Amino acid sequence: MPTTDRAGGDFASASLPRHLARGAVGFGALIGAVALLPFTGPASLLLAPVGLLALRGCPMCWAIGLAQTVSRGRLRRECVDGRCELVKAG
């Protein structure tokens, strides 16, 4: 019996604009935390947790989520007899 994706481990957002907005906030906050350091001192590092929260923990998690958001509905994983492959949905 073929199965599809696991229940957990999904980093995708509900829509591409929402995911890109999370990326803008996340990367903006991380860049701001470092760029503002000479002007505001260690207080600028308070932006780092905001950036990590927006990126759901790490920039790589956000990138994986971007790929999942773009491919959602276009590709699915199908496993038969212990062998899994990506197939076109539909």
Side-chain angles (χ1 to χ4, degrees), residues 35-48:
L36 295 173
L37 197 56
F39 305 106
T40 61
S44 70
L45 296 178
L46 294 174
L47 288 173

Side-chain angles (χ1 to χ4, degrees), residues 4-11 77:
T4 56
D5 290 334
R6 299 184 323 239
D10 192 15
F11 293 101
R77 187 175 68 180

Side-chain angles (χ1 to χ4, degrees), residues 13 15-27 62 66 69:
S13 292
S15 69
L16 186 59
R18 182 178 293 170
H19 196 83
L20 293 175
R22 278 193 322 103
V25 169
F27 286 113
W62 180 85
L66 178 62
T69 301

Side-chain angles (χ1 to χ4, degrees), residues 34-76:
V34 175
L36 295 173
L37 197 56
F39 305 106
T40 61
S44 70
L45 296 178
L46 294 174
L47 288 173
V50 173
L52 291 175
L53 182 65
L55 295 174
R56 293 186 184 167
C58 67
M60 184 55 98
C61 299
W62 180 85
I64 291 169
L66 178 62
Q68 288 178 345
T69 301
V70 169
S71 71
R72 175 157 285 165
R74 295 182 190 159
L75 297 173
R76 65 184 170 94

